[in-house]
Amino acid sequence: MENPTEKPDPNPPNPKPEPEDNEEIHELREEEEEYEEEDNNESSKPQTREDAIARRIKAESLFRRMRESPIPVRVHDVIIKGNKKTKDHVIEAEVNVVREATTLQELLKASKVANFKLQALDIFDSVNISLDSGPPELPGTTNVVINVVESRSPITAQFGTFTKSEARSSSVEGSLKYKNLFGYGDIWDGSLAYGCDNASEVGLGMYLPRFRGRPTPFTSRFYLSTQDWLKFSSYKESALGLSIGILSNKYHDVSYNVAWRNLIDPSQMASKSIRRQIGHNLDSALKYTFKYDQRNSTLRPTKGYSFVSTSQIGGLAPDSRTVRFLRQEFDLRYAVPLGYYRAALNFGVSGGITFPWGSGYKSRASSVSERFFLGGNISPVCSVGGPSALWGFKTRGMGPNEPRREIPDDQSGGTYERDFVGGDAAVAAFADLSFDFPLKWFRDRGIHGHVFANAGNMAELSGNKYRDFSAPKFLETFRSSVGAGIVIPTSLFRMELNYCHILKKQAHDRAKSGFFMTFST
């Protein structure tokens, strides 16, 4: 995790150092000690009023000099205290930013960043960074003293509800973590998740903040998952896989995923397209995500914008059963404050395309696991990353579909349902106007109202179906809906009670007007 700070002026003024440069550090240290003593022991008071006035004048003089011009200083040493188990180099790697400071002002900002990075390791109960004067024979130097208190209990447990945009589902998850097992800031965890749509996952993960001098964390996760799509697409999917985080910082994320997947049709009712993909395959893919988010909130944005781009290339293995595909997604959001009742207009557009590659790619159908599906009880305001959510339409409830096998039924004489097979290209857009209610009771609890509109569509391109694609037909078959509702935010999720009216849908789409409730994290 990174925290952006102001970059120092590349050409700072360089006043001539005074003979007693250590005096500023002594003054700052005295002021810090005074405040620490006042915070920790309220009974600690200056003995006389004159002493308090003198100290205050000295501090004001120092702060005035800091405001007027940079005060040159050089970090002589970084002293680490309190780490009984954590290796020194783990802490030093997070606070290297303080060694680059050349002025007292830069040093104070760098110390704040270093404190934040150490807290983000999640292995310390507290972190305190202070400045002390350097050796008397080295004027103009300071020592940075880092006091840490390691976590008393290395084992923690978590429980919560989550939304997985890729799986278009909500889930209840629990995890057990063991922190700093070997003293490298490592975090080991085991997790168990159960989705509301009969999905489940068991995983074991490992996190290292630094690995062999790498500037970014190293992560890996081994998982076993199952996904039940019988209700929508007549198949179940299971996967045994490993995910490795190669690069991860504020804007960029690179990972490699390999999984052995199995698709089965226990109902024996799957459509022709689904039956062709039943069996085992190997998913070996490299994934790159660029994310730039300047919104002031993820649950209720009132200003700012965000952009997310995700690129994947699958088929990085010589096995003939490897799924070879290219996939690109993007998501653009913008929030505009309106200036009354904390009202804001959020609008966004997202899209994606996936296509097989390799020998005979034009006539080969793409993998159903890599296709796009729209719909589901997820708010588009919260589901950033690609086309997925669409108010009023059920999970996998729209888009390309095919008839299932006709199964005789003694009661009705026969049933004829359809499988939703997903699209190779998808586009979705939404607009959401949120506003506070006039009652203070609602405002204090964050409960607010909103009105919304959204639209989206999908199309098949692989398997020679790109020949039948046309832009006018694609626009003509767009699905759309409008509505209004109440949003109730909690510490775990965002709950919405909405009335949605379907403006346009196509034959076989699973959508209807009425009241419904959604949950998003």
Side-chain angles (χ1 to χ4, degrees):
M1 178 179 291
E2 296 188 358
N3 189 40
T5 59
E6 295 184 17
K7 295 183 178 179
D9 187 350
N11 298 303
N14 188 22
K16 183 178 179 180
E18 298 179 5
E20 297 296 327
D21 277 340
N22 268 9
E23 186 176 341
E24 289 92 353
I25 306 300
H26 283 296
E27 293 176 0
L28 182 62
R29 181 64 179 166
E30 289 177 3
E31 186 67 15
E32 288 180 349
E33 290 176 351
E34 177 186 342
Y35 288 146
E36 289 175 1
E37 290 174 0
E38 290 177 356
D39 290 339
N40 297 331
N41 185 5
E42 295 183 358
S43 62
S44 176
K45 303 289 183 180
Q47 294 182 356
T48 65
R49 184 178 180 182
E50 289 74 10
D51 291 340
I53 294 175
R55 290 181 180 179
R56 180 64 60 185
I57 293 175
K58 185 182 293 184
E60 290 178 353
S61 174
L62 176 60
F63 294 147
R64 189 182 306 111
R65 289 189 58 191
M66 292 175 60
R67 286 193 298 268
E68 291 175 353
S69 63
I71 299 177
V73 70
R74 182 173 60 86
V75 176
H76 173 260
D77 195 11
V78 175
I79 303 172
I80 301 173
K81 299 179 179 180
N83 57 320
K84 300 179 181 179
K85 189 176 184 180
T86 309
K87 310 297 183 184
D88 283 352
H89 68 83
V90 174
I91 300 176
E92 291 172 354
E94 302 297 329
V95 302
N96 273 337
V97 63
V98 301
R99 296 184 180 275
E100 301 173 0
T102 57
T103 66
L104 186 58
Q105 292 87 335
E106 293 175 9
L107 183 57
L108 293 176
K109 293 177 182 178
S111 299
K112 187 176 181 179
V113 173
N115 189 299
F116 179 83
K117 288 186 175 182
L118 290 176
Q119 293 281 8
L121 291 178
D122 199 25
I123 59 175
F124 302 118
D125 286 337
S126 66
V127 177
N128 184 9
I129 299 179
S130 58
L131 305 180
D132 201 355
S133 56
E137 63 273 13
L138 298 175
T141 62
T142 182
N143 291 331
V144 179
V145 182
I146 302 174
N147 284 278
V148 298
V149 177
E150 295 175 332
S151 297
R152 296 180 181 178
S153 176
I155 301 177
T156 60
Q158 293 180 334
F159 178 83
T161 59
F162 301 88
T163 298
K164 298 181 179 180
S165 59
E166 292 185 359
R168 291 96 180 171
S169 65
S170 298
S171 63
V172 179
E173 302 185 12
S175 66
L176 187 66
K177 295 183 179 180
Y178 196 101
K179 304 177 182 179
N180 212 17
L181 177 62
F182 299 108
Y184 293 97
D186 48 303
I187 298 179
W188 303 79
D189 75 277
S191 64
L192 177 64
Y194 182 78
C196 300
D197 52 0
N198 297 324
S200 61
E201 180 178 311
V202 178
L204 297 174
M206 182 267 291
Y207 170 88
L208 275 177
R210 292 290 184 270
F211 179 71
R212 294 184 177 275
R214 288 163 46 90
T216 60
F218 174 82
T219 61
S220 64
R221 187 160 200 83
F222 178 80
Y223 63 90
L224 173 63
S225 66
T226 60
Q227 184 73 59
D228 186 350
W229 297 122
L230 286 174
K231 185 178 179 181
F232 313 103
S233 304
S234 295
Y235 73 90
K236 282 187 175 181
E237 178 181 355
S238 60
L240 178 66
L242 175 67
S243 176
I244 299 175
I246 301 175
L247 170 68
S248 180
N249 55 37
K250 184 178 180 181
Y251 302 114
H252 308 279
D253 186 273
V254 180
S255 62
Y256 173 73
N257 304 279
V258 58
W260 185 254
R261 295 191 305 206
N262 184 28
L263 273 63
I264 62 174
D265 173 24
S267 67
Q268 300 297 313
M269 293 176 59
S271 61
K272 184 182 296 185
S273 293
I274 298 298
R275 291 200 306 270
R276 289 174 178 171
Q277 302 200 27
I278 295 301
H280 295 272
N281 59 62
L282 179 65
D283 182 10
S284 174
L286 188 65
K287 181 178 180 180
Y288 167 69
T289 301
F290 171 78
K291 184 175 182 179
Y292 188 80
D293 195 341
Q294 294 297 312
R295 298 176 301 167
N296 60 342
S297 172
T298 56
L299 290 181
R300 187 189 176 184
T302 57
K303 64 178 180 179
Y305 62 94
S306 70
F307 176 76
V308 179
S309 172
T310 304
S311 306
Q312 290 188 71
I313 176 170
L316 305 180
D319 194 288
S320 61
R321 287 168 291 185
T322 301
V323 180
R324 306 186 190 282
F325 68 93
L326 300 173
R327 181 182 172 109
Q328 176 63 48
E329 300 173 72
F330 76 91
D331 197 323
L332 177 64
R333 303 294 177 87
Y334 203 90
V336 182
L338 301 182
Y340 58 90
Y341 285 107
R342 205 186 167 201
L345 176 63
N346 278 268
F347 57 87
V349 59
S350 58
I353 186 170
T354 182
F355 213 80
W357 65 274
S359 178
Y361 71 94
K362 289 184 178 181
S363 59
R364 190 170 68 249
S366 60
S367 170
V368 67
S369 301
E370 305 302 335
R371 292 182 180 177
F372 297 94
F373 292 87
L374 295 181
N377 291 327
I378 306 174
S379 171
V381 177
C382 303
S383 56
V384 178
S388 60
L390 208 64
W391 273 300
F393 290 82
K394 292 186 178 181
T395 301
R396 294 198 174 201
M398 58 164 286
N401 56 85
E402 294 183 4
R404 295 177 179 176
R405 287 182 176 179
E406 190 172 0
I407 304 298
D409 189 319
D410 295 335
Q411 297 180 356
S412 61
T415 59
Y416 204 60
E417 299 181 0
R418 305 183 74 86
D419 283 340
F420 289 90
V421 298
D424 300 303
V427 177
F430 79 92
D432 179 271
L433 175 63
S434 61
F435 52 87
D436 278 345
F437 292 115
L439 297 179
K440 185 176 183 297
W441 189 88
F442 289 102
R443 294 197 304 269
D444 292 343
R445 288 158 179 79
I447 301 174
H448 60 280
H450 73 142
V451 295
F452 56 83
N454 59 183
N457 202 5
M458 293 184 294
E460 289 185 281
L461 301 176
S462 60
N464 288 322
K465 293 186 178 181
Y466 66 92
R467 298 174 179 175
D468 301 326
F469 177 82
S470 67
K473 183 179 179 180
F474 186 72
L475 295 174
E476 182 182 346
T477 56
F478 252 78
R479 285 78 164 173
S480 59
S481 63
V482 296
I486 299 175
V487 180
I488 305 174
T490 70
S491 59
L492 296 177
F493 51 81
R494 163 186 167 126
M495 182 174 68
E496 299 180 19
L497 177 61
N498 297 323
Y499 177 81
C500 185
H501 177 69
I502 304 298
L503 293 179
K504 190 175 181 180
K505 66 177 184 177
Q506 302 299 318
H508 310 298
D509 284 351
R510 296 180 181 180
K512 64 178 182 179
S513 300
F515 288 95
F516 63 97
M517 186 173 292
T518 66
F519 298 88
S520 304
T521 56

